[in-house]
mmCIF file of all heavy atoms in Angstrom:
data_model
loop_
_atom_site.group_PDB
_atom_site.id
_atom_site.type_symbol
_atom_site.label_atom_id
_atom_site.label_comp_id
_atom_site.label_asym_id
_atom_site.label_seq_id
_atom_site.Cartn_x
_atom_site.Cartn_y
_atom_site.Cartn_z
ATOM 1 N N ALA A 342 -63.475 24.802 -27.266
ATOM 2 C CA ALA A 342 -63.177 23.800 -28.298
ATOM 3 C C ALA A 342 -62.119 24.301 -29.279
ATOM 4 O O ALA A 342 -61.206 23.559 -29.659
ATOM 5 C CB ALA A 342 -64.449 23.423 -29.041
ATOM 6 N N ALA A 343 -62.227 25.564 -29.692
ATOM 7 C CA ALA A 343 -61.254 26.120 -30.639
ATOM 8 C C ALA A 343 -59.849 26.070 -30.066
ATOM 9 O O ALA A 343 -58.873 25.790 -30.787
ATOM 10 C CB ALA A 343 -61.639 27.546 -31.015
ATOM 11 N N ILE A 346 -58.738 22.474 -30.428
ATOM 12 C CA ILE A 346 -58.534 22.107 -31.828
ATOM 13 C C ILE A 346 -57.221 22.661 -32.357
ATOM 14 O O ILE A 346 -56.474 21.966 -33.067
ATOM 15 C CB ILE A 346 -59.720 22.617 -32.679
ATOM 16 C CG1 ILE A 346 -60.979 21.790 -32.374
ATOM 17 C CG2 ILE A 346 -59.401 22.578 -34.165
ATOM 18 C CD1 ILE A 346 -62.261 22.385 -32.942
ATOM 19 N N GLU A 353 -55.825 13.964 -33.911
ATOM 20 C CA GLU A 353 -56.717 14.051 -35.067
ATOM 21 C C GLU A 353 -56.854 15.473 -35.598
ATOM 22 O O GLU A 353 -57.187 15.664 -36.773
ATOM 23 C CB GLU A 353 -58.113 13.508 -34.710
ATOM 24 C CG GLU A 353 -58.162 12.016 -34.508
ATOM 25 C CD GLU A 353 -57.860 11.594 -33.077
ATOM 26 O OE1 GLU A 353 -57.211 12.373 -32.334
ATOM 27 O OE2 GLU A 353 -58.256 10.489 -32.697
ATOM 28 N N PHE A 354 -56.604 16.469 -34.766
ATOM 29 C CA PHE A 354 -56.737 17.868 -35.189
ATOM 30 C C PHE A 354 -55.406 18.495 -35.605
ATOM 31 O O PHE A 354 -55.383 19.636 -36.071
ATOM 32 C CB PHE A 354 -57.333 18.714 -34.062
ATOM 33 C CG PHE A 354 -58.723 18.311 -33.651
ATOM 34 C CD1 PHE A 354 -59.110 18.387 -32.315
ATOM 35 C CD2 PHE A 354 -59.644 17.868 -34.582
ATOM 36 C CE1 PHE A 354 -60.396 18.032 -31.930
ATOM 37 C CE2 PHE A 354 -60.932 17.506 -34.210
ATOM 38 C CZ PHE A 354 -61.306 17.580 -32.874
ATOM 39 N N PHE A 357 -54.729 21.042 -38.591
ATOM 40 C CA PHE A 357 -55.975 21.686 -39.004
ATOM 41 C C PHE A 357 -56.148 23.027 -38.291
ATOM 42 O O PHE A 357 -55.706 23.209 -37.154
ATOM 43 C CB PHE A 357 -57.187 20.802 -38.677
ATOM 44 C CG PHE A 357 -57.384 19.658 -39.627
ATOM 45 C CD1 PHE A 357 -56.746 18.439 -39.398
ATOM 46 C CD2 PHE A 357 -58.196 19.802 -40.740
ATOM 47 C CE1 PHE A 357 -56.931 17.376 -40.270
ATOM 48 C CE2 PHE A 357 -58.381 18.740 -41.621
ATOM 49 C CZ PHE A 357 -57.747 17.524 -41.384
ATOM 50 N N THR A 358 -56.773 23.967 -38.976
ATOM 51 C CA THR A 358 -57.149 25.248 -38.379
ATOM 52 C C THR A 358 -58.630 25.489 -38.632
ATOM 53 O O THR A 358 -59.233 24.899 -39.541
ATOM 54 C CB THR A 358 -56.331 26.409 -38.977
ATOM 55 O OG1 THR A 358 -56.523 26.435 -40.401
ATOM 56 C CG2 THR A 358 -54.859 26.269 -38.660
ATOM 57 N N VAL A 359 -59.212 26.368 -37.837
ATOM 58 C CA VAL A 359 -60.630 26.680 -37.977
ATOM 59 C C VAL A 359 -60.831 27.546 -39.215
ATOM 60 O O VAL A 359 -60.262 28.632 -39.334
ATOM 61 C CB VAL A 359 -61.166 27.400 -36.726
ATOM 62 C CG1 VAL A 359 -62.611 27.842 -36.945
ATOM 63 C CG2 VAL A 359 -61.065 26.489 -35.497
ATOM 64 N N LYS A 361 -64.301 27.915 -40.656
ATOM 65 C CA LYS A 361 -65.593 28.568 -40.431
ATOM 66 C C LYS A 361 -66.222 28.006 -39.169
ATOM 67 O O LYS A 361 -65.994 26.851 -38.806
ATOM 68 C CB LYS A 361 -66.548 28.339 -41.619
ATOM 69 C CG LYS A 361 -66.140 29.039 -42.896
ATOM 70 C CD LYS A 361 -67.183 28.818 -43.991
ATOM 71 C CE LYS A 361 -66.760 29.520 -45.278
ATOM 72 N NZ LYS A 361 -67.762 29.288 -46.369
ATOM 73 N N ARG A 362 -67.041 28.826 -38.526
ATOM 74 C CA ARG A 362 -67.849 28.377 -37.394
ATOM 75 C C ARG A 362 -69.318 28.382 -37.809
ATOM 76 O O ARG A 362 -69.720 29.102 -38.688
ATOM 77 C CB ARG A 362 -67.635 29.267 -36.173
ATOM 78 C CG ARG A 362 -66.178 29.332 -35.718
ATOM 79 C CD ARG A 362 -66.059 29.962 -34.356
ATOM 80 N NE ARG A 362 -64.663 30.181 -33.992
ATOM 81 C CZ ARG A 362 -64.213 30.276 -32.747
ATOM 82 N NH1 ARG A 362 -65.066 30.185 -31.742
ATOM 83 N NH2 ARG A 362 -62.937 30.482 -32.500
ATOM 84 N N GLU A 363 -70.110 27.558 -37.143
ATOM 85 C CA GLU A 363 -71.544 27.445 -37.459
ATOM 86 C C GLU A 363 -71.734 27.199 -38.954
ATOM 87 O O GLU A 363 -72.421 27.932 -39.650
ATOM 88 C CB GLU A 363 -72.297 28.700 -37.010
ATOM 89 C CG GLU A 363 -72.307 28.927 -35.509
ATOM 90 C CD GLU A 363 -73.096 27.858 -34.771
ATOM 91 O OE1 GLU A 363 -74.188 27.493 -35.247
ATOM 92 O OE2 GLU A 363 -72.606 27.373 -33.730
ATOM 93 N N TYR A 364 -71.106 26.141 -39.438
ATOM 94 C CA TYR A 364 -71.071 25.846 -40.869
ATOM 95 C C TYR A 364 -72.351 25.115 -41.294
ATOM 96 O O TYR A 364 -72.660 24.037 -40.767
ATOM 97 C CB TYR A 364 -69.852 24.983 -41.170
ATOM 98 C CG TYR A 364 -69.680 24.628 -42.619
ATOM 99 C CD1 TYR A 364 -69.402 25.603 -43.565
ATOM 100 C CD2 TYR A 364 -69.784 23.303 -43.049
ATOM 101 C CE1 TYR A 364 -69.232 25.284 -44.905
ATOM 102 C CE2 TYR A 364 -69.613 22.969 -44.382
ATOM 103 C CZ TYR A 364 -69.346 23.969 -45.308
ATOM 104 O OH TYR A 364 -69.179 23.642 -46.625
ATOM 105 N N PHE A 366 -74.603 22.619 -42.991
ATOM 106 C CA PHE A 366 -74.363 21.339 -43.651
ATOM 107 C C PHE A 366 -75.605 20.473 -43.490
ATOM 108 O O PHE A 366 -76.050 20.220 -42.364
ATOM 109 C CB PHE A 366 -73.148 20.633 -43.053
ATOM 110 C CG PHE A 366 -72.776 19.361 -43.774
ATOM 111 C CD1 PHE A 366 -71.987 19.401 -44.914
ATOM 112 C CD2 PHE A 366 -73.246 18.133 -43.332
ATOM 113 C CE1 PHE A 366 -71.657 18.239 -45.587
ATOM 114 C CE2 PHE A 366 -72.926 16.970 -43.993
ATOM 115 C CZ PHE A 366 -72.131 17.016 -45.135
ATOM 116 N N ARG A 370 -76.430 23.078 -38.579
ATOM 117 C CA ARG A 370 -75.254 23.945 -38.540
ATOM 118 C C ARG A 370 -74.232 23.241 -37.660
ATOM 119 O O ARG A 370 -74.461 23.053 -36.463
ATOM 120 C CB ARG A 370 -75.596 25.327 -37.976
ATOM 121 C CG ARG A 370 -76.308 26.218 -38.979
ATOM 122 C CD ARG A 370 -76.480 27.626 -38.446
ATOM 123 N NE ARG A 370 -77.032 28.497 -39.465
ATOM 124 C CZ ARG A 370 -76.323 29.178 -40.349
ATOM 125 N NH1 ARG A 370 -75.008 29.096 -40.329
ATOM 126 N NH2 ARG A 370 -76.904 29.945 -41.243
ATOM 127 N N ILE A 371 -73.138 22.845 -38.265
ATOM 128 C CA ILE A 371 -72.084 22.132 -37.555
ATOM 129 C C ILE A 371 -71.131 23.165 -36.948
ATOM 130 O O ILE A 371 -70.823 24.183 -37.561
ATOM 131 C CB ILE A 371 -71.346 21.179 -38.502
ATOM 132 C CG1 ILE A 371 -72.340 20.206 -39.160
ATOM 133 C CG2 ILE A 371 -70.253 20.417 -37.765
ATOM 134 C CD1 ILE A 371 -73.116 19.343 -38.197
ATOM 135 N N ASP A 372 -70.668 22.903 -35.739
ATOM 136 C CA ASP A 372 -69.920 23.919 -34.989
ATOM 137 C C ASP A 372 -68.689 24.438 -35.726
ATOM 138 O O ASP A 372 -68.444 25.645 -35.736
ATOM 139 C CB ASP A 372 -69.506 23.359 -33.622
ATOM 140 C CG ASP A 372 -70.688 23.240 -32.679
ATOM 141 O OD1 ASP A 372 -71.491 24.188 -32.609
ATOM 142 O OD2 ASP A 372 -70.814 22.192 -32.015
ATOM 143 N N PHE A 373 -67.916 23.537 -36.354
ATOM 144 C CA PHE A 373 -66.676 23.970 -37.006
ATOM 145 C C PHE A 373 -66.477 23.276 -38.347
ATOM 146 O O PHE A 373 -66.764 22.085 -38.491
ATOM 147 C CB PHE A 373 -65.451 23.636 -36.142
ATOM 148 C CG PHE A 373 -65.349 24.405 -34.861
ATOM 149 C CD1 PHE A 373 -65.769 23.841 -33.667
ATOM 150 C CD2 PHE A 373 -64.824 25.693 -34.845
ATOM 151 C CE1 PHE A 373 -65.676 24.541 -32.485
ATOM 152 C CE2 PHE A 373 -64.723 26.401 -33.663
ATOM 153 C CZ PHE A 373 -65.154 25.827 -32.484
ATOM 154 N N LEU A 374 -65.959 24.031 -39.290
ATOM 155 C CA LEU A 374 -65.335 23.474 -40.488
ATOM 156 C C LEU A 374 -63.849 23.771 -40.370
ATOM 157 O O LEU A 374 -63.446 24.928 -40.265
ATOM 158 C CB LEU A 374 -65.902 24.106 -41.759
ATOM 159 C CG LEU A 374 -65.195 23.720 -43.066
ATOM 160 C CD1 LEU A 374 -65.393 22.234 -43.368
ATOM 161 C CD2 LEU A 374 -65.686 24.580 -44.236
ATOM 162 N N LEU A 375 -63.038 22.722 -40.381
ATOM 163 C CA LEU A 375 -61.590 22.866 -40.294
ATOM 164 C C LEU A 375 -60.970 22.593 -41.656
ATOM 165 O O LEU A 375 -61.555 21.908 -42.496
ATOM 166 C CB LEU A 375 -60.999 21.869 -39.280
ATOM 167 C CG LEU A 375 -61.631 21.780 -37.894
ATOM 168 C CD1 LEU A 375 -60.820 20.808 -37.032
ATOM 169 C CD2 LEU A 375 -61.740 23.133 -37.239
ATOM 170 N N SER A 376 -59.771 23.112 -41.851
ATOM 171 C CA SER A 376 -59.062 22.837 -43.094
ATOM 172 C C SER A 376 -57.584 22.592 -42.815
ATOM 173 O O SER A 376 -57.016 23.129 -41.863
ATOM 174 C CB SER A 376 -59.220 23.993 -44.089
ATOM 175 O OG SER A 376 -58.617 25.167 -43.582
ATOM 176 N N GLU A 381 -60.628 18.803 -45.471
ATOM 177 C CA GLU A 381 -61.569 19.537 -44.625
ATOM 178 C C GLU A 381 -62.196 18.574 -43.618
ATOM 179 O O GLU A 381 -62.422 17.402 -43.929
ATOM 180 C CB GLU A 381 -62.651 20.211 -45.467
ATOM 181 C CG GLU A 381 -62.115 21.353 -46.334
ATOM 182 C CD GLU A 381 -63.227 22.104 -47.045
ATOM 183 O OE1 GLU A 381 -64.175 21.433 -47.533
ATOM 184 O OE2 GLU A 381 -63.147 23.335 -47.128
ATOM 185 N N MET A 382 -62.467 19.095 -42.434
ATOM 186 C CA MET A 382 -63.058 18.291 -41.380
ATOM 187 C C MET A 382 -64.222 19.051 -40.738
ATOM 188 O O MET A 382 -64.094 20.237 -40.421
ATOM 189 C CB MET A 382 -62.027 17.944 -40.297
ATOM 190 C CG MET A 382 -62.588 17.064 -39.168
ATOM 191 S SD MET A 382 -61.441 16.860 -37.762
ATOM 192 C CE MET A 382 -60.060 16.039 -38.549
ATOM 193 N N LEU A 383 -65.336 18.358 -40.545
ATOM 194 C CA LEU A 383 -66.461 18.898 -39.797
ATOM 195 C C LEU A 383 -66.344 18.439 -38.347
ATOM 196 O O LEU A 383 -66.073 17.257 -38.084
ATOM 197 C CB LEU A 383 -67.780 18.411 -40.387
ATOM 198 C CG LEU A 383 -68.089 18.847 -41.825
ATOM 199 C CD1 LEU A 383 -69.355 18.158 -42.323
ATOM 200 C CD2 LEU A 383 -68.241 20.354 -41.915
ATOM 201 N N VAL A 384 -66.554 19.372 -37.416
ATOM 202 C CA VAL A 384 -66.446 19.044 -35.994
ATOM 203 C C VAL A 384 -67.680 19.575 -35.267
ATOM 204 O O VAL A 384 -67.983 20.772 -35.324
ATOM 205 C CB VAL A 384 -65.183 19.653 -35.351
ATOM 206 C CG1 VAL A 384 -65.109 19.273 -33.871
ATOM 207 C CG2 VAL A 384 -63.930 19.203 -36.082
ATOM 208 N N GLU A 385 -68.371 18.678 -34.586
ATOM 209 C CA GLU A 385 -69.482 19.067 -33.722
ATOM 210 C C GLU A 385 -69.020 18.949 -32.272
ATOM 211 O O GLU A 385 -68.335 17.989 -31.891
ATOM 212 C CB GLU A 385 -70.702 18.180 -33.960
ATOM 213 C CG GLU A 385 -71.919 18.525 -33.135
ATOM 214 C CD GLU A 385 -72.490 19.904 -33.420
ATOM 215 O OE1 GLU A 385 -72.201 20.468 -34.500
ATOM 216 O OE2 GLU A 385 -73.227 20.431 -32.571
ATOM 217 N N VAL A 386 -69.384 19.939 -31.447
ATOM 218 C CA VAL A 386 -68.940 20.010 -30.054
ATOM 219 C C VAL A 386 -70.130 19.763 -29.131
ATOM 220 O O VAL A 386 -71.197 20.359 -29.310
ATOM 221 C CB VAL A 386 -68.311 21.383 -29.747
ATOM 222 C CG1 VAL A 386 -67.884 21.469 -28.284
ATOM 223 C CG2 VAL A 386 -67.128 21.642 -30.676
ATOM 224 N N LYS A 387 -69.930 18.894 -28.140
ATOM 225 C CA LYS A 387 -70.961 18.609 -27.151
ATOM 226 C C LYS A 387 -70.370 18.760 -25.758
ATOM 227 O O LYS A 387 -69.270 18.270 -25.474
ATOM 228 C CB LYS A 387 -71.506 17.182 -27.310
ATOM 229 C CG LYS A 387 -72.080 16.859 -28.686
ATOM 230 C CD LYS A 387 -73.330 17.660 -28.973
ATOM 231 C CE LYS A 387 -73.941 17.277 -30.310
ATOM 232 N NZ LYS A 387 -75.071 18.183 -30.678
ATOM 233 N N HIS A 410 -77.123 15.443 -35.673
ATOM 234 C CA HIS A 410 -75.759 15.889 -35.948
ATOM 235 C C HIS A 410 -74.842 14.712 -36.276
ATOM 236 O O HIS A 410 -74.024 14.777 -37.207
ATOM 237 C CB HIS A 410 -75.199 16.644 -34.740
ATOM 238 C CG HIS A 410 -75.770 18.008 -34.584
ATOM 239 N ND1 HIS A 410 -75.806 18.668 -33.371
ATOM 240 C CD2 HIS A 410 -76.328 18.859 -35.483
ATOM 241 C CE1 HIS A 410 -76.354 19.856 -33.530
ATOM 242 N NE2 HIS A 410 -76.681 19.983 -34.805
ATOM 243 N N LEU A 414 -72.752 14.069 -39.771
ATOM 244 C CA LEU A 414 -71.306 13.858 -39.802
ATOM 245 C C LEU A 414 -70.953 12.519 -40.451
ATOM 246 O O LEU A 414 -69.944 12.404 -41.154
ATOM 247 C CB LEU A 414 -70.724 13.930 -38.393
ATOM 248 C CG LEU A 414 -70.773 15.302 -37.720
ATOM 249 C CD1 LEU A 414 -70.275 15.208 -36.285
ATOM 250 C CD2 LEU A 414 -69.948 16.321 -38.488
ATOM 251 N N ALA A 417 -71.203 12.913 -44.125
ATOM 252 C CA ALA A 417 -70.120 13.738 -44.670
ATOM 253 C C ALA A 417 -68.909 12.911 -45.060
ATOM 254 O O ALA A 417 -68.141 13.284 -45.961
ATOM 255 C CB ALA A 417 -69.725 14.805 -43.648
ATOM 256 N N TYR A 422 -65.282 14.508 -46.683
ATOM 257 C CA TYR A 422 -64.891 15.208 -45.460
ATOM 258 C C TYR A 422 -64.352 14.205 -44.440
ATOM 259 O O TYR A 422 -64.761 13.043 -44.398
ATOM 260 C CB TYR A 422 -66.090 15.897 -44.804
ATOM 261 C CG TYR A 422 -66.662 17.074 -45.541
ATOM 262 C CD1 TYR A 422 -67.714 16.903 -46.445
ATOM 263 C CD2 TYR A 422 -66.195 18.359 -45.319
ATOM 264 C CE1 TYR A 422 -68.278 17.985 -47.106
ATOM 265 C CE2 TYR A 422 -66.751 19.451 -45.965
ATOM 266 C CZ TYR A 422 -67.788 19.264 -46.861
ATOM 267 O OH TYR A 422 -68.344 20.329 -47.515
ATOM 268 N N LYS A 423 -63.487 14.666 -43.571
ATOM 269 C CA LYS A 423 -63.264 14.013 -42.296
ATOM 270 C C LYS A 423 -64.318 14.558 -41.332
ATOM 271 O O LYS A 423 -64.849 15.649 -41.546
ATOM 272 C CB LYS A 423 -61.863 14.300 -41.763
ATOM 273 C CG LYS A 423 -60.729 13.683 -42.580
ATOM 274 C CD LYS A 423 -59.380 14.026 -41.974
ATOM 275 C CE LYS A 423 -58.253 13.378 -42.769
ATOM 276 N NZ LYS A 423 -58.248 11.914 -42.633
ATOM 277 N N SER A 424 -64.624 13.826 -40.276
ATOM 278 C CA SER A 424 -65.616 14.337 -39.327
ATOM 279 C C SER A 424 -65.280 13.864 -37.916
ATOM 280 O O SER A 424 -64.682 12.791 -37.731
ATOM 281 C CB SER A 424 -67.030 13.905 -39.720
ATOM 282 O OG SER A 424 -67.179 12.506 -39.662
ATOM 283 N N SER A 425 -65.663 14.689 -36.949
ATOM 284 C CA SER A 425 -65.366 14.407 -35.543
ATOM 285 C C SER A 425 -66.463 14.950 -34.650
ATOM 286 O O SER A 425 -67.081 15.975 -34.958
ATOM 287 C CB SER A 425 -64.036 15.067 -35.119
ATOM 288 O OG SER A 425 -62.954 14.643 -35.909
ATOM 289 N N VAL A 426 -66.680 14.267 -33.537
ATOM 290 C CA VAL A 426 -67.456 14.822 -32.431
ATOM 291 C C VAL A 426 -66.491 15.010 -31.269
ATOM 292 O O VAL A 426 -65.770 14.071 -30.894
ATOM 293 C CB VAL A 426 -68.622 13.915 -32.011
ATOM 294 C CG1 VAL A 426 -69.369 14.527 -30.819
ATOM 295 C CG2 VAL A 426 -69.586 13.696 -33.166
ATOM 296 N N LEU A 427 -66.454 16.212 -30.727
ATOM 297 C CA LEU A 427 -65.582 16.536 -29.602
ATOM 298 C C LEU A 427 -66.439 16.743 -28.362
ATOM 299 O O LEU A 427 -67.254 17.671 -28.312
ATOM 300 C CB LEU A 427 -64.770 17.794 -29.904
ATOM 301 C CG LEU A 427 -63.934 18.369 -28.762
ATOM 302 C CD1 LEU A 427 -62.887 17.368 -28.275
ATOM 303 C CD2 LEU A 427 -63.265 19.674 -29.196
ATOM 304 N N PHE A 428 -66.287 15.871 -27.380
ATOM 305 C CA PHE A 428 -67.006 15.992 -26.119
ATOM 306 C C PHE A 428 -66.127 16.734 -25.114
ATOM 307 O O PHE A 428 -65.019 16.282 -24.790
ATOM 308 C CB PHE A 428 -67.385 14.613 -25.571
ATOM 309 C CG PHE A 428 -68.445 13.910 -26.379
ATOM 310 C CD1 PHE A 428 -68.082 12.986 -27.349
ATOM 311 C CD2 PHE A 428 -69.788 14.190 -26.180
ATOM 312 C CE1 PHE A 428 -69.053 12.337 -28.104
ATOM 313 C CE2 PHE A 428 -70.768 13.561 -26.938
ATOM 314 C CZ PHE A 428 -70.402 12.633 -27.892
ATOM 315 N N LEU A 429 -66.628 17.874 -24.641
ATOM 316 C CA LEU A 429 -65.955 18.638 -23.597
ATOM 317 C C LEU A 429 -66.498 18.139 -22.258
ATOM 318 O O LEU A 429 -67.653 18.386 -21.913
ATOM 319 C CB LEU A 429 -66.235 20.129 -23.763
ATOM 320 C CG LEU A 429 -65.949 20.729 -25.144
ATOM 321 C CD1 LEU A 429 -66.329 22.212 -25.160
ATOM 322 C CD2 LEU A 429 -64.495 20.541 -25.544
ATOM 323 N N MET A 460 -65.804 8.178 -38.305
ATOM 324 C CA MET A 460 -65.928 9.454 -37.607
ATOM 325 C C MET A 460 -65.151 9.399 -36.295
ATOM 326 O O MET A 460 -65.274 8.437 -35.533
ATOM 327 C CB MET A 460 -67.404 9.757 -37.326
ATOM 328 C CG MET A 460 -67.634 11.118 -36.667
ATOM 329 S SD MET A 460 -69.356 11.338 -36.165
ATOM 330 C CE MET A 460 -69.407 10.292 -34.698
ATOM 331 N N ASN A 461 -64.349 10.426 -36.023
ATOM 332 C CA ASN A 461 -63.615 10.487 -34.765
ATOM 333 C C ASN A 461 -64.550 10.829 -33.618
ATOM 334 O O ASN A 461 -65.393 11.725 -33.740
ATOM 335 C CB ASN A 461 -62.521 11.558 -34.829
ATOM 336 C CG ASN A 461 -61.547 11.339 -35.953
ATOM 337 O OD1 ASN A 461 -61.068 10.231 -36.161
ATOM 338 N ND2 ASN A 461 -61.253 12.400 -36.711
ATOM 339 N N ILE A 463 -63.974 12.022 -29.794
ATOM 340 C CA ILE A 463 -62.888 12.502 -28.938
ATOM 341 C C ILE A 463 -63.488 13.090 -27.663
ATOM 342 O O ILE A 463 -64.435 13.885 -27.724
ATOM 343 C CB ILE A 463 -62.069 13.580 -29.668
ATOM 344 C CG1 ILE A 463 -61.442 12.992 -30.950
ATOM 345 C CG2 ILE A 463 -60.986 14.179 -28.765
ATOM 346 C CD1 ILE A 463 -61.095 14.037 -31.984
#
Side-chain angles (χ1 to χ4, degrees):
I346 289 168
E353 290 88 338
F354 298 144
F357 283 88
T358 57
V359 174
K361 292 183 180 179
R362 302 192 187 204
E363 295 294 317
Y364 181 66
F366 185 84
R370 283 187 174 272
I371 304 301
D372 287 315
F373 293 99
L374 173 66
L375 310 184
S376 64
E381 292 186 319
M382 181 189 298
L383 297 174
V384 180
E385 181 63 20
V386 178
K387 303 294 183 187
H410 286 156
L414 293 175
Y422 291 92
K423 293 180 178 292
S424 64
S425 302
V426 178
L427 173 61
F428 290 96
L429 307 178
M460 183 187 75
N461 303 314
I463 299 157

